[in-house]
Structure formats: structure tokens, C-alpha cells
Amino acid sequence: MNPTASFDALSWSIDGCTIGRAMEVLGEKWTLVVLREVFNGIRRFDDMRVRTGIPRQVLTNRLAMLVEQGVLRREPYREPGARERHEYRLTRKGLDVYPVLITLLEWGNRYLADPGGPPLRFAHRDCGAEVHAELHCSAGHRLEDPREVVPRPGPGARRR
């Protein structure tokens, strides 16, 4: 297929769309809030509940779903004199969500931050510079404008 040929999106089925499938896992507000907390080092249920105000049952359900989906794993711990509890750690699948969160944060910081500025930024651990997301093609070209991206049918695409 010619890389500059137009893509007739209406002629391809969206059944099995991986964006839709990803949103089934990540698309609920509290799910991304839970992941933000885990990425920020908050791994224990009670700490998450206090920091976020997520209702107990909602947090329980979100954590269970993220464990079931393989995004988080449960690790046991025990405070002296207390019963065993679990904290939640990112799996490889969970770590792969980080660029998505960085992109959402950048968008929110640009368009939704309070006048005083955004409450959270991401920095490179080694040098302290701010981290941001960029678009690159597999040949290594940095795309300056999102309009440089063109959708194409993938190997699992089916015509309508």
C-alpha cells in the first residue's frame, strides 16, 4: 500500500479495535486516578483511599480489575502486630501505561490547570528535566504536528 494513499476509514470494520479494548480497562476515571497514585509511589489501599477520596468499594473494585487485567500485582506485607495486607505494584503491562498518563497530564496541564499552574509534573530522575511525550515514527522521525499521522489498516483489519 502506498504510504501517502488515503485511508477510507468507513470501509474498515472497527470490531476488535484495540483503542476500545484499552478503554474498557483504563477508561474509567477512578482507574486512572489509582494508576496515578501507584506511579507516584502510593501502593497501599488505605493510603490511596485517604489521598484520593475514592469510595472504599470503588477502590476495591478498581484494584481487583487492574490485578485481573495484569496491570497491577498484589504483594503481601505485614506491619508489626497487624494482619497481612497487600500493596499494589505495577507489572510490565502497567509500566507500559506510563506514556499514556504523561500524555494525559501534559494535555491537562496545558488546557485545564488552575491559573497558578499544574499541581504535578514529571521529571527525569537523573537530570531533573521535565519529561514529555512525543510522536516518532519507527524510522526515527519526530513528528511536529499530529496531522502528520495517518491511520492505516493493521494486520488484523477487516473490510466491512
Side-chain angles (χ1 to χ4, degrees), residues 20 22 27 50 57 60 63 70:
V50 168
Q57 192 58 51
T60 298
L63 287 168

Side-chain angles (χ1 to χ4, degrees), residues 26 31-39 66 71-72 97 101:
L26 302 174
T31 301
L32 290 176
V33 169
V34 167
L35 288 173
R36 177 198 66 202
E37 293 305 303
V38 176
F39 276 109
L66 289 167
V71 176
L72 298 176
V97 176
L101 289 180

Side-chain angles (χ1 to χ4, degrees), residues 70-90:
V71 176
L72 298 176
R73 71 178 189 282
R74 290 169 36 126
E75 293 286 328
Y77 75 93
R78 182 186 309 266
E79 297 288 342
R83 67 179 173 84
E84 181 179 275
R85 294 181 169 224
H86 292 91
E87 60 182 25
Y88 297 86
R89 301 282 179 147
L90 292 158

Side-chain angles (χ1 to χ4, degrees), residues 10 22 25 28 31 36 76 79 97-98 103 120 127 145 158-160:
L10 294 175
V25 176
E28 199 276 329
T31 301
R36 177 198 66 202
E79 297 288 342
V97 176
Y98 215 3
T103 301
L120 181 64
C127 74
D145 185 337
R158 295 185 303 271
R159 285 207 175 267
R160 287 182 173 259

Side-chain angles (χ1 to χ4, degrees), residues 5-145:
S6 79
F7 170 63
D8 180 11
L10 294 175
S11 67
W12 295 91
S13 170
I14 58 167
D15 294 342
C17 171
T18 55
I19 292 173
R21 288 178 180 174
M23 293 308 292
E24 287 175 11
V25 176
L26 302 174
E28 199 276 329
K29 169 191 169 183
W30 292 122
T31 301
L32 290 176
V33 169
V34 167
L35 288 173
R36 177 198 66 202
E37 293 305 303
V38 176
F39 276 109
N40 288 338
I42 308 302
R43 296 183 180 95
R44 296 182 177 179
F45 184 94
D46 288 335
D47 294 336
M48 279 186 225
R49 201 170 66 71
V50 168
R51 276 181 52 94
T52 64
I54 299 174
R56 180 177 291 280
Q57 192 58 51
V58 172
L59 181 55
T60 298
N61 293 345
R62 294 307 170 271
L63 287 168
M65 182 274 298
L66 289 167
V67 169
E68 180 183 312
Q69 288 291 325
V71 176
L72 298 176
R73 71 178 189 282
R74 290 169 36 126
E75 293 286 328
Y77 75 93
R78 182 186 309 266
E79 297 288 342
R83 67 179 173 84
E84 181 179 275
R85 294 181 169 224
H86 292 91
E87 60 182 25
Y88 297 86
R89 301 282 179 147
L90 292 158
T91 62
R92 178 78 252 161
K93 187 176 181 179
L95 286 166
D96 285 346
V97 176
Y98 215 3
V100 175
L101 289 180
I102 289 170
T103 301
L104 284 172
L105 178 98
E106 282 187 288
W107 185 84
N109 286 354
R110 179 174 297 144
Y111 297 109
L112 304 172
D114 291 337
L120 181 64
R121 293 184 182 216
F122 292 112
H124 182 205
R125 186 182 308 270
D126 288 345
C127 74
E130 196 166 329
V131 171
H132 63 276
E134 294 182 350
L135 291 174
H136 294 264
C137 72
S138 60
H141 304 115
R142 181 171 183 235
L143 308 178
E144 300 292 333
D145 185 337

